[in-house]
Amino acid sequence: MQGTAYGDEQLAMAMRKELRERLLEAQNEGRPLRVYCGFDPRTSDLHLGHTVPMRKLRQFQELGHEVVFLIGNFTSLIGDPSDKDKLRPQLTPEEVEENARTYAEQAFKILDPEKTIIEYNAKWLSKLTFADLIKLASNFTVQQFLTRENFRKRWDKGEPVYLHETFYAIMQGYDAYALRADVQIGGTDQLFNIVTAARKLMTFMGVKPNIAIILDILPGTDGEVKMSKSLGNHIPLLSTPEDMYGKLMSVPDKAMGAYMRLLTRWTPRQIAELETGIAQGRLNPRDVKMQLAREIVEIYHGEDAAARAEEHFVRVFQQRDIPDEIPEYCLQEGETVLQVLRNANLVSSNSEGRRLIQQKAVRLDGEVLSDPRAAFPGPGVLRVGKRKFVRVSNCSATRE
RNA sequence: GGGCAGGUACCCAAGUGGCCAAAGGGGGCUGACUGUAAAUCAGCUGGCGUCACGCCUACGGGGGUUCGAAUCCCUCCCUGCCCA
């Protein structure tokens, strides 16, 4: 896994140099580095985008460093403006707590639970006074915030930039100070928060500024923008192997590079080989994508599950066959085609059902059903579109 | 507090009395094709029904004018800009 991105070469070099020095220093003091990354418990499920910094943390862990998994339960109350050019809704403390609960559990799919320190930033942030905030804020100018791209954009478009949003960077900077972190990991959207806010605040508070490791952002399944649940282009960490595999196959070809670099265990050399293979037409992008999907599913579900997921994909989507396990539906006396679609939860409204029937998307054992009002022909495998299947049977009749 | 410009569907955005369930784009869905749930092309994209027709809900909230309102008026809420 690779993919650091600093935006400018000077910063990258400075950070590399500092990291080297800090490593030596820590070695002399006989201590590991303290590495952290903060996560926003804005939603309750993690997705592959979250795994990018988490796997970087894991690497540090394996090298014997101390890793802090910080849950931003306090900062979530504001909502990080970094990755949006829009105000994010504030969550209630209850929502945040609810989300935070399942968070760590999922994180341990990647991190070593034995070696991970979990912290919540409400622990120190909730204790700061207004006077503290003023003191911290006096390190920054309004201009520094206004030149940040995402604030700038909104400013230019005449959209509101709320004062409390600027606190986010300050709070995050304070996290780094409270943790006395040596290294902080984050995506390119965290550049300002880490490099400007955190380092400045730490210096001001009289401790050594932490070193920034800035990672590329994983695009979502649309291949365009950052993977995020709210945009609906995410692949949940807890999705089934089949689903994860399928979603990975739906990623546009152009995003494959980023996925290979940010999500796999492959070396830069292996990736380069695959990429030139595709570029020269030696390798079929589909096959490479299948390898990619299998590799990623394997990381989270193991070899066997990944193999099964691939089989499922080939059977259902390439050969248009039906999957192994499909839900059952008991046909009721006198039901029409439309009613079955509805009752088996294959569609969410009658209109949607009619539309799909009109579009020839509804098949019973391969036969297109074209009349929504016709009586349902009888038992068989009902397929709606490419992904939805239900086995319709006469179970009530046979039972009696 | 004053002046001006705004608030439209999942998102962006047009529309400024009837032809508006609302252009266009994005997203999503479906089909064709394929090398894949990629790309490309086409269609669909509020709900209910006796479904080429009718009804209900919807253009920030409430009220009004009108045969008829996203469009006009009043009022309230929210946002931006300028002034204080």
Side-chain angles (χ1 to χ4, degrees):
Chain A
M1 177 174 105
Q2 316 113 63
T4 54
Y6 289 89
D8 81 286
E9 202 37 49
Q10 278 192 347
L11 179 63
M13 272 163 54
M15 287 297 132
R16 253 197 297 272
K17 180 160 164 269
E18 242 184 83
L19 182 59
R20 226 173 286 134
E21 288 168 2
R22 189 72 61 95
L23 275 164
L24 282 174
E25 199 181 294
Q27 198 173 34
N28 288 337
E29 293 167 18
R31 65 177 182 96
L33 291 185
R34 176 172 265 233
V35 184
Y36 103 96
C37 181
F39 293 87
D40 189 356
R42 174 146 287 281
T43 64
S44 55
D45 47 0
L46 296 177
H47 55 66
L48 291 182
H50 292 113
T51 68
V52 178
M54 280 165 63
R55 294 185 63 232
K56 185 56 78 182
L57 286 176
R58 172 80 200 203
Q59 288 177 336
F60 275 100
Q61 221 163 36
E62 279 167 7
L63 294 169
H65 297 290
E66 192 174 275
V67 162
V68 179
F69 184 84
L70 180 70
I71 295 179
N73 62 338
F74 194 83
T75 26
S76 266
L77 297 175
I78 291 188
D80 183 6
S82 293
D83 63 336
K84 293 256 166 126
D85 41 13
K86 218 187 224 188
L87 177 69
R88 310 190 88 184
Q90 294 182 29
L91 299 183
T92 65
E94 291 74 32
E95 287 172 313
V96 171
E97 199 188 324
E98 179 60 36
N99 291 340
R101 194 174 307 163
T102 56
Y103 227 77
E105 197 183 308
Q106 294 174 60
F108 290 145
K109 271 188 163 291
I110 294 168
L111 297 172
D112 181 346
E114 301 289 305
K115 295 185 192 159
T116 306
I117 301 166
I118 295 184
E119 283 284 6
Y120 293 84
N121 66 5
K123 192 165 143 190
W124 47 83
L125 290 178
S126 64
K127 297 206 177 86
L128 290 180
T129 65
F130 202 73
D132 293 327
L133 177 63
I134 291 171
K135 216 164 77 185
L136 294 172
S138 70
N139 286 285
F140 302 97
T141 66
V142 171
Q143 285 88 335
Q144 283 169 340
F145 283 85
L146 288 182
T147 48
R148 264 188 96 171
E149 200 194 357
N150 49 81
F151 285 146
R152 169 101 256 158
K153 252 193 229 152
R154 283 202 258 160
W155 179 281
D156 289 344
K157 279 162 84 179
E159 283 169 5
V161 176
Y162 288 89
L163 196 54
H164 75 268
E165 294 182 83
T166 61
F167 301 165
Y168 196 93
I170 293 174
M171 294 194 299
Q172 195 174 313
Y174 195 82
D175 286 344
Y177 162 73
L179 290 168
R180 302 293 192 278
D182 291 298
V183 176
Q184 185 180 166
I185 293 171
T188 50
D189 55 350
Q190 297 301 317
L191 200 64
F192 179 88
N193 290 342
I194 300 177
V195 176
T196 305
R199 288 174 58 86
K200 212 166 174 176
L201 270 190
M202 290 175 92
T203 308
F204 172 72
M205 299 298 284
V207 303
K208 277 212 172 92
N210 64 188
I211 295 145
I213 293 188
I214 305 291
L215 300 167
D216 254 329
I217 303 272
L218 184 75
T221 49
D222 55 352
E224 296 291 340
V225 291
K226 176 182 176 174
M227 182 175 286
S228 104
K229 189 185 182 187
S230 56
L231 295 172
N233 63 358
H234 69 307
I235 304 177
L237 200 53
L238 294 180
S239 44
T240 63
E242 285 79 15
D243 197 40
M244 190 183 271
Y245 191 98
K247 285 205 164 84
L248 285 163
M249 287 306 287
S250 81
V251 167
D253 290 2
K254 66 181 174 192
M256 280 169 65
Y259 276 63
M260 290 194 276
R261 262 179 280 282
L262 297 171
L263 298 177
T264 68
R265 298 166 292 194
W266 298 340
T267 62
R269 204 202 162 98
Q270 285 174 292
I271 293 170
E273 223 162 88
L274 292 170
E275 283 188 318
T276 51
I278 293 172
Q280 293 169 358
R282 258 189 303 113
L283 294 174
N284 183 329
R286 183 203 51 187
D287 298 334
V288 175
K289 202 184 284 178
M290 285 176 76
Q291 268 184 60
L292 173 68
R294 186 158 175 170
E295 158 70 7
I296 295 168
V297 174
E298 210 173 292
I299 294 174
Y300 301 104
H301 294 282
E303 256 177 73
D304 293 350
R308 276 199 306 276
E310 185 165 289
E311 233 171 85
H312 175 268
F313 181 83
V314 170
R315 165 141 43 133
V316 177
F317 299 110
Q318 292 185 352
Q319 296 166 10
R320 293 250 175 158
D321 206 343
I322 56 170
D324 270 344
E325 286 172 35
I326 54 182
E328 193 111 347
Y329 176 75
C330 294
L331 190 60
Q332 308 295 310
E333 188 66 33
E335 273 182 312
T336 63
V337 172
L338 188 59
Q339 280 167 335
V340 172
L341 290 179
R342 217 38 235 271
N343 295 338
N345 283 323
L346 291 165
V347 297
S348 59
S349 72
N350 290 348
S351 306
E352 189 191 340
R354 281 197 198 92
R355 247 178 258 136
L356 287 167
I357 288 168
Q358 214 162 44
Q359 292 174 148
K360 300 193 200 319
V362 179
R363 292 189 189 86
L364 181 68
D365 289 332
E367 292 283 309
V368 174
L369 299 179
S370 53
D371 185 359
R373 285 161 62 200
F376 197 84
V381 173
L382 184 62
R383 175 177 199 158
V384 177
K386 286 176 183 139
R387 297 174 229 190
K388 290 194 229 161
F389 296 89
V390 157
R391 188 182 302 280
V392 178
S393 48
N394 278 323
C395 32
S396 58
T398 50
R399 212 177 295 144
E400 284 172 75

